[in-house]
Structures are given as structure tokens and as C-alpha cells.
Amino acid sequence: PVLFRDDEDTFKILIATDIHLGYLEKDPVRGNDTFVTFNEILEHAQKSEVDFVLLGGDLFHENKPSRKTVHSCLESLRKYCMGDRPVQFEILSDQAVNFHCSKFPWVNYQDENLNISIPVFSIHGNHDDPTGADALCALDILSCAGLLNHFGRSTSVEKIDISPILLRKGRTKIALYGLGAIPDERLYRMFVNKQITMLRPKEDEDSWFNLFVIHQNRSKHGATNYIPEQFLDDFIDLGLWGHEHECKIAPCQNEQQHFYVSQPGSSVVTSLSPGEAVKKHIGLLQVRGKKMKMQKIALETVRTFYMEDIVLADHPDLFNPDNPKVTQAIQAFCMEKVELMLDNAERERLGNPRQPEKPLIRLRVDYTGGFEPFSVHRFSQKYMDRVANPKDIIHFFRHREQKEKNDSDLNFGKLVSRPASEGMTLRVEDLVKQYFQTAEKKVQLSLLTERGMGEAVQEFVDKEEKDAIEELVKFQLEKTQRFLKERHTDAEEGKIDEEVRKFRESRKKNTKEEDEEVREAITRARAHRSEDAVLVASSSDEELMDTGIKSTGDSDDGLPSTLSRGRGRARGRARGARGQNSASRGSSRRGRGSTSQESATSSRTYKPVSTPAKNMSIMD
């Protein structure tokens, strides 16, 4: 497209998303890919003399990035974004509202102690979202250091008011809206219940160019596990969509609401799926008045990725499943395909010296029809020095044969076949739900709900909240016990079971209340983690004071005076917990000889519950 000429009325914005710094950082071949490409992105921003950089989430791959990753990110931002070049636009909105979660609630280039030449604005994604007792994320570290402006953060799950950052350059005004990643199903429900409000400027609201940054599923992953474009407000001019890795950066118009959506895609291949094989780009967005132009900029440092599918049943002339040497023939055919992809990669690299030497190669082989797969490990040995991902070049899969049904109402949606585990992201809570739906009756949940359990397990897996499951079990147990007491249920097992079943069904229907339950349980888990930190600190101080003193008559632990180092720490924690209720004291007695972690967990106190004075297992 013909670009606007540079003048005092034209905004120049560099657009990128899903950079995933630190992805495979320990891989000897691919470890530095994300850092090199991030430098290239910021280099483009510097050369193009953009007004600011706008990122759509997932700057980091891990929720708790390593020191190396954080250090490399700070190094790049300091190198390319600090300098004497003046920033040409001003902010008109109340920055205390825009950056309300920051200890320094103003844009970094207006801080008199910093010398910023290219401001970076970013929302958080699902990989680097706020967690922990203080609800902090990796972007907050960059924000506190003055190298990035973290916006679009919402603290309430009841109602979200999105207040825009109002920018002005000459006669062009941009209202920049942002919404950091929120679990898709929750956000879907909030949109349906009209709990999301996008605030607009009171003066000349039609003269603003409205730019909205979002980080959610765009393609449908389930009934409510995505955000339809139709949910967004009509007045938006351009939506910048993060999270989806396939590059569709050219703005595409929504036919119903007439706004445009740009999906920049990721700048690194994080899954060997078809969407990732599309060439990676970033965008140079120019806005003047209410008009915009998007220039695609191909990234040169991205590792090339080639992908091909083979269906063995489509080649009856080449492969006969009854032939004893058919496996060797399949292997030779696959080698031929890989060699062809390597030749294409070499040719492409000749014109681009910045491209990494070893490409990514993926060959998906459908062996449905009586064929047998060959050894992938032996095959990969041949390409150790030529391919960046030798261990997973080949992916064998076969379609499950559908059983014929006599019913007239066949569900054709279920008959659509697709490669197993390929290009799909399985979520922890989906696995939990799927497990209990297909489990035998004797192991079905009768007190807890699948949804609550799934959320707790995901917190445990993704965010390392080690007490999340335990707290959810306790919370739902307390709630059920209170319900039974209020109903004055007779102490007959049959009646109790029936009341519990009814109570569980009513909770499953009330998804909002269940969300609150999970949040309360997670909050309690975080609070206990903070208490643990204080407890450990105080116990270690006490250990120092008690060195060499023989412990006698200590009814809480009853441990011998000569202890191993681990036991000494456990004893210190148990002593620090003295004075708690009888349940916890009993549990600390049971913990004799346990590791320090077990002892610390068992000596915690919770709200009084009518349970026996011993630790209850999840099965109980």
C-alpha cells in the first residue's frame, strides 16, 4: 500500500505479539531464537523511527521466566528503546486510571528520571498473566524498571470497565483500549451478561481512532471457549488480536460490524502445526485521522518451518500393507520427502544470511489401513546435524474407525476426523472433566464438581499454586457441611447422600458462584503460602538460637535430640506452629520423621471444621 508521508499528524506504531521469550531456552540449537527475533523487532522499531511499539501479550513464554530470559529482555529494551530522540505524542487521559496497578502510574517516557526514545505498550497474555499472593506478572517487573508500559489489566471478575489511553499527535487522536488475557469461558460469560463496558471520550467521540488489543482464542475451541468478533463494540476501528499464532496480519473487515481485525501471529514457532508454518511478520501501522495503513514486515531471523502430510492409503501403487517390506518402503518415501524439504530450506536461506542454519521439519504420516509405523528414533538419527528438531520430525497418527450406528439421528460433527494431538491445545481442566465423564461410577465425584476441580488442578500445574487442590477440597467440604447442618438432615447415610447430590447439582448450575468458590480457595492457598514464608523465616531464626540445646518434654514432636538436618527444620516448623488447635497438633505428631515440606503442610491451621483430629485424605 501507498504509505502516509511522515508528518506531525501521522502515528507510526510497530505491531507485534506472542514473542514468547525464553521458549526452549535450554535447547542447544533453538535456545536463542526468541531473543534474536526480539532484537530484530526492536531494531525495526528503531530504524523506522516509530512513535511507540504495541505488543499483544505473551512477551514471555513462562509465567515465571528464568533470570537469563529476564536479563536478555531488559538488555534488548535498554539497548533499543532508550535514547535522546524525543517522543512526539502526548497522553490526554488520566494515567492513574490507565496504569492503576503500577506503583508508578504514568507513562515511562514522561518520567524525568528516564530517557525513553521508544515507549513500549503491552497487555499480558495467558503465558505471562498475574499470579501469586500479590497478583504480579513478569511485565510488572519491566514496568517497575521503567522499560515498558503494562496496561489493560483488570482486577474485578464481576464487571470490567475498559478505560482507554488517549493519545494525540498533531490532529490525530487514538483511543487505545486493552484487555489482558482472561480465561475464555469466563470472559465469554461476562460479554453475554453485559459485564464488559468500553468507556469512550466525552468530547468529539467520533473523531478518535479506536484501537483495541485483546489476547484470547479467536478460533472456536468449544461452545464458549473463544471470543466471537461480534462481541466487540461497533465503534472500534481496528482490533489487534493476540494469542493466535498463525500470521494473518493484513487487516480483515468484519462483515457485520465493519471494523477491521489484524492477527499478527507469533514471532517464534512454538508448536509444529500448520498455522505456525505460515511466514512470520510484524506490522508497521500508520494512522492519520480516521484512516490507517498496515505495512507487513517479514521477519528474517525466524527459523524456517516446513510441514507436509502423507496419507499412505492414497498411494496403493507404492504401498501394500501385506508386503513384508512395506515398512522399509514407507521409510524410504519419508526420507525422500524430508530431503526435498531440506533442499527448499537451503535455497530459501541463500537469499537471507540472517536465517538460522537448521530448519524445522515436520512430516505427518497417516498410517490408517493396516500399515505399521517404523522407528522414529532411528529415523531421526540421520538428521541430527541438519534439522533443528530431529526427535520429532515424523508424527504418525491414524484415524479411529467410526462404528456404524443404526440410529437415524447421526451426529456428523463427531465423524469429522483429524490428526490426534496435532494443532490442538489440550487444557488441564478439559482433561480433568474428560476423565470424570468417562470414569467408572465408583470413582466419580460425589461431593466436588468437575469444573472446580479442573480449575484447581490448572492453578496447581500452570501457576505452581501447590495448595490449590487441597484448599478447594477443604472449601467445598466446609460449604457442604454447613448446608447439611442448615437443612438439619437426618444422620442416615442414604438421606445425606441424596442431599449432597442435590446440593452438588445446584452448585454445578450456578457457574458464577462456583467461580467465586475457586477464587476464594486460590486466595486462601496464596495466603497460606505467604504464612509459610513467614513461618520458615521464624523457624530458621529459632533453630539458630536453639543450636546445641537438647529438646526434652516437647509433646508436639517427641523427636530424639540428635536429628538430621531435615528433621531439625521440621521440628522448628512444628514448634513455630505450637498453640494451634488440636487438629493441627495431632497432625504434627503424625508427621514424625517426615520431610520438612510434609511437616510444614501438616501443621497448618484452617477454619474449624467438624472433622476428626487427624489429617483427612482427599479420598476421605
Side-chain angles (χ1 to χ4, degrees):
V2 178
L3 298 176
F4 300 124
R5 67 179 185 276
D6 288 349
D7 59 26
E8 65 276 5
D9 295 329
T10 304
F11 269 100
K12 286 171 75 175
I13 308 162
L14 192 87
I15 303 287
T17 185
D18 292 86
I19 293 166
H20 287 274
L21 289 174
Y23 175 69
L24 290 183
E25 64 178 322
K26 293 182 180 176
D27 187 292
V29 177
R30 302 162 68 184
N32 285 322
D33 284 8
T34 56
F35 308 124
V36 171
T37 303
F38 186 47
N39 277 335
E40 184 192 354
I41 291 168
L42 295 178
E43 197 179 297
H44 278 298
Q46 195 179 60
K47 283 181 181 174
S48 302
E49 296 188 344
V50 298
D51 290 299
F52 63 93
V53 175
L54 184 58
L55 304 179
D58 281 355
L59 175 60
F60 294 99
H61 184 70
E62 297 289 343
N63 191 266
K64 297 171 183 172
S66 68
R67 267 181 280 188
K68 176 192 172 181
T69 299
V70 174
H71 179 268
S72 297
C73 179
L74 291 168
E75 184 184 343
S76 300
L77 289 169
R78 181 168 173 176
K79 179 180 177 181
Y80 292 103
C81 299
M82 298 186 92
D84 293 327
R85 190 171 70 87
V87 176
Q88 303 284 355
F89 65 91
E90 57 183 329
I91 295 187
L92 307 178
S93 52
D94 182 356
Q95 296 185 48
V97 175
N98 299 143
F99 308 110
H100 61 94
C101 289
S102 173
K103 297 288 183 187
F104 305 95
W106 54 83
V107 73
N108 61 350
Y109 76 87
Q110 290 182 350
D111 192 311
E112 58 187 21
N113 297 313
L114 299 170
N115 199 23
I116 303 293
S117 59
I118 304 175
V120 179
F121 292 87
S122 180
I123 61 169
H124 64 259
N126 58 308
H127 280 254
D128 50 13
D129 60 330
T131 57
D134 299 315
L136 292 171
C137 66
L139 293 187
D140 292 321
I141 296 172
L142 303 182
S143 174
C144 190
L147 293 170
L148 180 142
N149 303 294
H150 179 200
F151 75 109
R153 190 167 158 178
S154 52
T155 50
S156 170
V157 288
E158 302 296 326
K159 189 176 188 304
I160 297 176
D161 291 330
I162 307 174
S163 186
I165 303 174
L166 302 178
L167 316 170
R168 183 172 68 189
K169 183 181 180 184
R171 287 174 293 179
T172 300
K173 296 184 290 186
I174 293 179
L176 177 60
Y177 296 84
L179 184 61
I182 293 174
D184 289 288
E185 288 169 335
R186 185 187 300 164
L187 187 60
Y188 187 102
R189 201 162 55 247
M190 291 179 81
F191 269 115
V192 168
N193 295 334
K194 305 209 181 315
Q195 293 170 301
I196 309 287
T197 308
M198 294 180 72
L199 307 176
R200 299 189 69 182
K202 288 180 181 176
E203 298 175 5
D204 303 326
E205 63 176 34
D206 294 327
S207 65
W208 294 83
F209 182 88
N210 300 295
L211 177 57
F212 182 39
V213 192
I214 187 171
H215 189 100
Q216 303 292 152
N217 280 335
R218 188 181 177 196
S219 52
K220 194 170 183 177
H221 290 261
T224 61
N225 196 15
Y226 77 115
I227 302 301
E229 288 178 15
Q230 284 71 24
F231 281 2
L232 307 187
D233 280 294
D234 293 347
F235 69 83
I236 291 169
D237 295 295
L238 176 65
L240 181 68
W241 211 293
H243 186 60
E244 300 286 357
H245 281 209
E246 184 177 351
C247 181
K248 297 178 179 176
I249 200 164
C252 178
Q253 190 172 28
N254 181 292
E255 293 177 2
Q256 289 167 286
Q257 287 155 289
H258 305 298
F259 55 70
Y260 286 85
V261 175
S262 171
Q263 181 180 302
S266 67
S267 59
V268 62
V269 176
T270 61
S271 65
L272 302 173
S273 58
E276 296 271 25
V278 178
K279 191 160 179 62
K280 305 289 187 186
H281 292 82
I282 54 175
L284 181 61
L285 175 67
Q286 291 185 295
V287 179
R288 186 177 185 182
K290 291 282 283 182
K291 294 182 179 178
M292 66 166 181
K293 291 276 172 65
M294 178 79 81
Q295 179 189 359
K296 287 168 64 174
I297 300 173
L299 291 169
E300 297 177 349
T301 57
V302 175
R303 195 174 292 276
T304 48
F305 172 36
Y306 288 92
M307 185 169 190
E308 197 168 329
D309 290 343
I310 299 173
V311 181
L312 299 180
D314 290 350
H315 301 278
D317 52 326
L318 295 177
F319 311 118
N320 178 4
D322 299 326
N323 184 342
K325 293 189 176 181
V326 67
T327 308
Q328 289 94 312
I330 294 168
Q331 188 168 338
F333 186 73
C334 289
M335 284 179 68
E336 196 179 309
K337 289 286 184 187
V338 170
E339 288 293 341
L340 202 61
M341 286 192 272
L342 283 169
D343 287 345
N344 289 338
E346 188 60 38
R347 271 197 298 275
E348 188 178 329
R349 193 170 166 270
L350 287 172
N352 180 13
R354 297 182 71 183
Q355 206 171 75
E357 186 180 350
K358 296 178 183 177
L360 295 164
I361 301 290
R362 182 67 143 186
L363 197 61
R364 297 192 302 186
V365 182
D366 181 351
Y367 67 104
T368 310
F371 296 99
E372 288 296 322
F374 54 78
S375 169
V376 173
H377 297 292
R378 200 174 301 146
F379 185 89
S380 66
Q381 291 296 319
K382 300 178 177 68
Y383 298 100
M384 292 297 286
D385 299 326
R386 300 173 64 196
V387 176
N389 61 316
K391 291 180 181 175
D392 47 14
I393 294 176
I394 301 284
H395 172 69
F396 282 105
F397 69 93
R398 81 179 150 197
H399 298 306
R400 290 179 183 172
E401 294 177 13
Q402 300 290 337
K403 292 180 181 178
E404 289 185 17
K405 293 183 180 178
N406 297 325
D407 302 345
S408 56
D409 54 342
L410 275 173
N411 184 350
F412 289 98
K414 289 186 178 177
L415 299 178
V416 176
S417 56
R418 57 176 176 265
S421 75
E422 204 49 18
M424 294 176 65
T425 306
L426 279 176
R427 301 183 312 147
V428 173
E429 61 262 48
D430 292 338
L431 289 173
V432 172
K433 191 175 178 182
Q434 189 179 325
Y435 169 78
F436 285 116
Q437 282 175 346
T438 56
E440 297 174 32
K441 192 170 184 181
K442 64 181 181 181
V443 291
Q444 286 283 2
L445 291 175
S446 57
L447 178 75
L448 310 172
T449 59
E450 291 92 349
R451 179 186 173 81
M453 201 64 187
E455 292 263 359
V457 173
Q458 182 166 31
E459 285 288 327
F460 177 87
V461 174
D462 288 353
K463 308 297 188 300
E464 297 178 24
E465 289 291 353
K466 57 186 173 61
D467 299 322
I469 299 170
E470 183 183 356
E471 281 300 333
L472 184 86
V473 172
K474 286 180 179 293
F475 192 88
Q476 294 193 341
L477 181 63
E478 289 170 19
K479 195 162 184 179
T480 308
Q481 287 170 337
R482 281 199 302 272
F483 171 78
L484 292 173
K485 283 178 184 174
E486 288 165 8
R487 298 279 292 227
H488 304 293
T489 309
D490 295 335
E492 292 178 25
E493 194 170 331
K495 288 186 178 180
I496 291 173
D497 285 349
E498 180 60 22
E499 288 291 346
V500 168
R501 189 189 64 76
K502 286 179 183 174
F503 182 55
R504 181 174 179 271
E505 290 302 317
S506 70
R507 284 195 358 257
K508 279 175 75 175
K509 288 174 186 173
N510 192 342
T511 53
K512 185 177 177 183
E513 188 178 331
E514 195 165 3
D515 276 351
E516 288 172 3
E517 273 186 27
V518 176
R519 280 200 308 280
E520 175 66 23
I522 301 306
T523 304
R524 279 165 55 161
R526 288 170 182 165
H528 284 134
R529 190 176 61 186
S530 302
E531 286 170 17
D532 273 359
V534 174
L535 195 62
V536 170
S538 62
S539 67
S540 61
D541 289 343
E542 196 173 331
E543 278 178 35
L544 289 171
M545 294 171 68
D546 289 356
T547 305
I549 299 174
K550 187 177 180 182
S551 172
T552 57
D554 191 344
S555 62
D556 275 3
D557 47 32
L559 295 173
S561 56
T562 52
L563 294 163
S564 68
R565 187 173 176 182
R567 283 183 177 177
R569 187 171 298 162
R571 181 190 63 189
R573 290 193 189 185
R575 184 182 291 125
R578 197 187 302 151
Q580 295 172 349
N581 63 19
S582 60
S584 66
R585 294 182 67 173
S587 66
S588 65
R589 272 198 296 276
R590 285 183 71 227
R592 187 191 312 159
S594 65
T595 64
S596 58
Q597 190 174 355
E598 289 167 343
S599 181
T601 306
S602 62
S603 64
R604 287 195 196 99
T605 56
Y606 300 97
K607 291 181 184 175
V609 185
S610 55
T611 53
K614 63 172 187 173
N615 269 7
M616 292 186 72
S617 69
I618 288 179
M619 289 302 291
D620 292 334

